[in-house]
Each structure stands twice: as C-alpha cells, then as structure tokens.
Amino acid sequence: MPTRILLEGRPGAGKTTALRRLAALLPTHAATGFTTEEIRRSGARVGFALETLAGRREVLAHVELPGPPRVGKYGVDPGVMERLALPSLRPAATEEATGRLVLIDELGRMELACTAFRHAVDALFVAEVDVVATVHTHRDPFTDALKRRADIEVVQLTPANRDVLPGELAARLLQPRTHGKYPSHG
C-alpha cells in the first residue's frame, strides 16, 4: 500500500520548509509536485507564489489580484493551479509512475479553490503513488475528510520536530518495499 501522509501544522510551523528539505533529501526526479512561498514587500506578506519541483513559478495569490476567488485579503489566480500544479501531479497518475512520490504544499484554501485540483488530489490519494502533503490545523471539509481516512497518516509538524522530520520521512520513503509495503519497525 502506498504511503499517504498529511503533514499538519499551524501557520509558521515550517511545513513548506520541511517539504522542501524532504524533496532535497530524495534522489533527483524521485518526486513531483509543488511548494508555495510567501511573497513579501517591505517585510509585509502581500501574496503567495507556487513553484513546481521542476522549477516553474507563478504568483498564486496576491493582494493586488482581483479574484474571484478571494481568500482573506488575497485574490487567487486558479489558472496557476491549472497551469502549474495540475501538470506537476499528472505524471503520478500514469502507470509508469507507480511507486513515485508526490509532494504537495499545500492543501489550503487558496489551492482548494480550484475544483480540478481537488479532483486531482482525490485521484492521487487512491492511486498507487506515495503522497506527502501539507495541511493547516484549521477545519476544512475537504482536508477533514482526508484526515479521517484510515489509509492516511496525519503527522503533526511542530517547531520541535521540523528539523528532524524531513530526514525521517526521506529514510522511510527510500526503504525497499516488501509486497508493496514498507518493512515494519519492530
């Protein structure tokens, strides 16, 4: 059975940093997916950029974007999800990608505003691929449903474990599988 992990943490806990460190610890081209990053102007957060693990980057949300949709003070460009995020997930949906790893930062309100992205995430969580995605601790019907699934492990990311967790996850994901499962830790 594939590994399906939700890294749950409060804002500022280091979810994006942990996911980027995990990607850096894996062999080149071992993973596909994307991360998000704050855009700051004069020290103030004014938006978010989405960057694929392949290096493509665009502004996902910004105070100067009109929306809709809007999430808080940010207008969101759902086209960025369709142009960058969805193509970064598609290789995992093909049969030759069985066993690949998909990293998603994050399953948040801005990203989930794109219906096609929600459908792609649903498909990933039933495909034969490993998935590590970050989620906020706040309640959301989509992520709450994922957190309740028995085949998904929710791992709390905190300032206390954020530095060691990427290495632990990389070691776990790189272990050889036995009959489609990771060896048990006894």
Side-chain angles (χ1 to χ4, degrees):
M1 180 172 181
T3 298
R4 298 178 178 133
I5 296 173
L6 294 178
L7 288 179
E8 182 182 56
R10 299 184 58 75
K15 297 181 299 292
T16 297
T17 300
L19 207 68
R20 286 185 174 163
R21 286 182 182 160
L22 172 59
L25 291 170
L26 299 170
T28 306
H29 298 102
T32 186
F34 67 89
T35 60
T36 55
E37 180 177 21
E38 291 182 353
I39 299 170
R40 294 192 165 267
R41 186 184 313 141
S42 302
R45 184 172 66 197
V46 294
F48 295 88
L50 183 144
E51 184 173 355
T52 68
L53 296 184
R56 293 186 61 206
R57 179 185 174 100
E58 286 189 43
V59 174
L60 171 64
H62 199 277
V63 293
E64 295 172 359
L65 285 175
R70 293 197 65 79
V71 174
K73 63 183 178 181
Y74 306 103
V76 179
D77 179 357
V80 171
M81 297 305 294
E82 294 182 17
R83 288 188 303 275
L84 297 184
L86 291 175
S88 75
L89 305 181
R90 280 195 192 109
T94 62
E95 285 186 29
E96 63 269 13
T98 297
R100 282 193 56 123
L101 172 63
V102 179
L103 302 178
I104 301 172
D105 175 46
E106 71 182 273
L107 298 177
R109 287 180 283 177
M110 292 177 192
E111 297 82 2
L112 295 172
C114 175
T115 302
F117 176 67
R118 286 195 312 270
H119 293 309
V121 169
D122 280 334
L124 279 174
F125 276 98
V126 297
E128 289 298 314
V129 296
D130 296 330
V131 180
V132 178
T134 64
V135 294
H136 275 271
T137 54
H138 68 76
R139 302 204 43 93
D140 175 88
F142 185 86
T143 56
D144 288 351
L146 288 174
K147 291 174 189 179
R148 286 191 299 268
R149 287 181 36 177
D151 63 334
I152 294 177
E153 178 183 355
V154 178
V155 175
Q156 297 300 316
L157 183 75
T158 66
N161 71 0
R162 70 179 168 203
D163 292 330
V164 297
L165 194 56
E168 291 173 356
L169 290 175
R172 179 176 164 188
L173 290 163
L174 292 171
Q175 286 180 352
R177 296 181 183 220
T178 308
H179 303 296
K181 295 186 180 181
Y182 291 98
S184 62
H185 300 294

